[in-house]
Amino acid sequence: MIQINDVHKRYLTSRGESVWALRGISVAIPPKVNVAILGKHGSGKSTLLRLIAGIDRPTRGEILCERRVSWPIGLVTGLQPNLSGRQNTRFIARLQGFSEKEIDKKIEFVIEFCEIGELFEQPFGTYSNGMRARLNFALSVAFEFDVYLVDENLGGGTGPFLEKTRNTIKYLSEHADLIVVTHAENILKTYCEAAVWLHEGRAHWFDSASEAWQEHKKALAA
Amino acid sequence: MAASRALRSSFAVTFSVWRALFLREAATRLSRNPTAWFWLIAEPLTHIAFLMWLFVIAFRQRHIIGADTSVFVMLGVLAFIIPRNLINGSIAAIAGAQSLYTYRQVKAVDTVIARIGVESLLAFILFFVIWTGAALFGFPVSLADPLKAILALGTLWFGGVGLALVFSVVANLSVQAGHLVRTLMAPLYVFSAVMFPTAAVPESMRNVMLINPLVHGVESLRLAFMPAYQTAPGIDLLYLMQWAIVLIFLGLVMHAVFENFLMTKK
């Protein structure tokens, strides 16, 4: 269960405090269900996802989380440009507390998955955007979590790699739980059973994702 | 994508974070460019050489009572570098840590602790390299009181850790606070008696200068090498130790209090 209690969020900027991105969200996300987060642009979907991931802290309220939750897939940050793909992979795996032996296995998985060949031994800063996205996606799915977070574009692969990312997300949706921020009806219908609809700074829980989609459509048209 | 692992203890989580950050930090520091090792040694050497020039040529001051000028300057610079590098590294560690909060097990204080680890290791390696180098070149750097030297270095390090913990929070509270802390580093350097002996300071100013805890570490280290060296009365390593203990507790409390603030995206 991920329990979100009266969570408020606004950002501190150089111009002072921003408007409220979230105004008192309370919702409980149960286990064993794939959940979509729906809402208009600027309704706080990505903010909510970042808060669930623990990347950012709420201004008020709390998020109680008793499950292993991933970072948003494809949003691996903190990779050092002057360290190689291998060194960066070791770093991420060490953070998760794996032993050096287990890390070797993770590295094998990442090498096989991201298909960037020799580039894996080169400094990360020399990678093209496409290669970065591949390593990023591979690192996101190399570790086991109870809940995987997905923001919008499923980790952004292109060409033949896109097929692979889709299959992987499909696999994860069957073997773990997903929380997906999306604007696309097909993604919602393919992966999600339930949904959280963000509207005017509040959250509404729907047991059926398609019902939430109807509400969302109505609000968009209004 | 295998079976889930058992939940780890808080200590296990923290320790693996420190280990990962320390190794990454060390690898990054030394692989940034091929001359990273060179500059690590060259920066303090230039610093020492410049102060030597100031003393011998600009000030015409070849003699400090009971001390060799070159050893006096070398010890001053090497002693001050320990807290200076810890402080500067820690401030930078938090400022650049935002991208690491993607991993929920990383907290702001972890990045500071890892950086303190790396900077300490490098500062002590630096000390031994330059000390050994000076001995090989025939400077009178024999150690008169090894125990006192270890105590002085250890206490300086301890004080540096305390200052690093406190300043890393203060400097990242706001842009103004950051400027203030960086500005404070210059007087801290001057009042640490790196470039002149405390005995040479007029008495009215001396009492102000001795409030600075670092000066007690710098002068104690010199006394350990050169027992005939004359310091101002009142140099007391215990004073620095008391500061260090208070600063470490204060720093840890500040990290606990401001954790949310430091880790909020700005």
Side-chain angles (χ1 to χ4, degrees):
Chain A
M1 186 78 103
I2 299 172
Q3 183 78 41
I4 299 165
N5 290 333
D6 195 31
V7 163
H8 291 65
K9 179 68 185 174
R10 66 175 166 193
Y11 292 99
L12 270 176
T13 70
S14 52
R15 296 186 190 178
E17 285 171 329
S18 73
V19 294
W20 290 101
L22 299 172
R23 278 179 290 188
I25 302 247
S26 293
V27 69
I29 299 176
K32 305 224 181 305
V33 60
N34 296 327
V35 180
I37 299 180
L38 287 173
K40 283 188 234 183
H41 284 296
S43 60
K45 301 186 294 294
S46 294
T47 298
L48 182 58
L49 201 71
R50 286 168 55 84
L51 292 177
I52 293 173
I55 299 172
D56 207 347
R57 304 288 177 95
T59 313
R60 248 190 274 156
E62 58 177 2
I63 295 177
L64 304 174
C65 180
E66 286 161 12
R67 317 189 64 206
R68 241 182 272 269
V69 180
S70 78
W71 51 85
I73 287 181
L75 265 183
V76 172
T77 59
L79 301 184
Q80 283 286 2
N82 60 337
L83 298 185
S84 70
R86 180 185 292 273
Q87 284 173 305
N88 275 308
T89 305
R90 291 203 94 85
F91 167 64
I92 305 289
R94 280 189 191 123
L95 273 186
Q96 319 292 322
F98 288 98
S99 69
E100 297 297 314
K101 218 179 222 169
E102 292 168 308
I103 292 177
D104 289 334
K105 279 197 195 129
K106 293 290 169 198
I107 287 183
E108 271 169 42
F109 171 86
V110 171
I111 289 177
E112 197 185 324
F113 193 95
C114 67
E115 300 170 31
I116 59 172
E118 278 300 294
L119 212 53
F120 193 66
E121 313 299 338
Q122 298 297 313
F124 179 68
T126 64
Y127 290 21
S128 68
N129 283 340
M131 296 298 142
R132 275 169 204 234
R134 284 183 178 211
L135 181 62
N136 216 310
F137 189 88
L139 283 174
S140 303
V141 297
F143 305 101
E144 48 281 350
F145 293 103
D146 301 327
V147 183
Y148 287 85
L149 306 179
V150 185
D151 199 349
E152 212 89 70
N153 56 8
L154 304 189
T158 49
F161 196 71
L162 184 62
E163 185 66 26
K164 200 168 184 174
T165 60
R166 288 217 173 117
N167 291 338
T168 310
I169 300 282
K170 187 79 204 155
Y171 175 87
L172 291 178
S173 72
E174 286 155 7
H175 293 84
D177 298 346
L178 297 183
I179 297 178
V180 187
V181 163
T182 185
H183 279 291
E185 193 176 0
N186 65 327
I187 290 174
L188 176 104
K189 299 248 159 99
T190 317
Y191 302 113
C192 305
E193 293 104 41
V196 174
W197 179 48
L198 293 182
H199 188 57
E200 292 175 344
R202 312 240 163 224
H204 307 270
W205 172 263
F206 286 84
D207 282 330
S208 143
S210 45
E211 245 173 67
W213 183 256
Q214 297 305 325
E215 281 299 317
H216 172 59
K217 284 295 254 190
K218 249 188 266 171
L220 278 183
Chain B
M1 290 187 286
S4 268
R5 295 182 299 156
L7 279 176
R8 293 176 295 146
S9 72
S10 306
F11 278 116
V13 172
T14 308
F15 185 73
S16 54
V17 167
W18 288 353
R19 185 165 173 276
L21 286 173
F22 176 85
L23 291 171
R24 174 181 107 126
E25 214 56 66
T28 312
R29 263 300 285 270
L30 300 174
S31 72
R32 203 170 289 151
N33 57 57
T35 54
W37 270 111
F38 169 76
W39 284 112
L40 201 66
I41 309 282
E43 191 262 338
L45 269 186
T46 349
H47 195 148
I48 293 169
F50 173 69
L51 286 184
M52 286 292 299
W53 175 83
L54 262 187
F55 262 98
V56 179
I57 295 169
F59 296 164
R60 306 269 175 232
Q61 164 107 40
R62 277 160 217 270
H63 302 292
I64 295 166
I65 299 164
D68 178 274
T69 315
S70 50
V71 179
F72 169 87
V73 170
M74 180 192 92
L75 290 175
V77 171
L78 290 180
F80 186 72
I81 270 182
I82 299 171
R84 185 201 70 179
N85 285 6
L86 293 186
I87 294 168
N88 289 344
S90 301
I91 293 173
I94 290 205
Q98 198 71 49
S99 65
L100 291 171
Y101 303 149
T102 297
Y103 314 102
R104 69 171 69 234
Q105 53 271 68
V106 180
K107 293 182 188 250
V109 69
D110 296 325
T111 64
V112 170
I113 286 169
R115 188 68 70 102
I116 285 174
V118 174
E119 293 293 350
S120 310
L121 183 68
L122 292 178
F124 284 112
I125 290 175
L126 187 73
F127 186 90
F128 284 105
V129 168
I130 293 189
W131 180 31
T132 315
L136 288 176
F137 278 98
F139 289 97
V141 287
S142 61
L143 193 44
D145 191 344
L147 195 61
K148 190 164 189 177
I150 293 171
L151 271 177
L153 282 174
T155 315
L156 268 169
W157 177 78
F158 218 45
V161 171
L163 285 169
L165 284 169
V166 171
F167 281 6
S168 60
V169 175
V170 175
N172 288 292
L173 284 181
S174 75
V175 182
Q176 287 81 357
H179 285 300
L180 184 71
V181 168
R182 271 181 283 273
T183 312
L184 273 176
M185 289 303 286
L188 192 64
Y189 172 77
V190 173
F191 283 115
S192 291
V194 175
M195 358 181 229
F196 47 81
T198 42
V201 178
E203 201 176 328
S204 55
M205 200 59 211
R206 220 184 258 166
N207 297 331
V208 180
M209 198 167 159
L210 289 184
I211 295 173
N212 170 14
L214 292 180
V215 81
H216 298 263
V218 175
E219 290 285 74
S220 296
L221 183 68
R222 284 175 180 148
L223 279 173
F225 277 79
M226 310 174 290
Y229 170 63
Q230 296 294 315
T231 67
I235 291 296
D236 183 4
L237 207 50
L238 198 62
Y239 176 72
L240 171 58
M241 184 56 109
Q242 287 165 339
W243 264 89
I245 292 170
V246 171
L247 284 171
I248 287 177
F249 275 99
L250 182 68
L252 290 173
V253 167
M254 286 173 79
H255 268 283
V257 170
F258 290 105
E259 182 188 296
N260 253 325
F261 179 83
L262 291 173
M263 294 182 67
T264 296
K265 193 179 148 216
K266 286 176 266 298

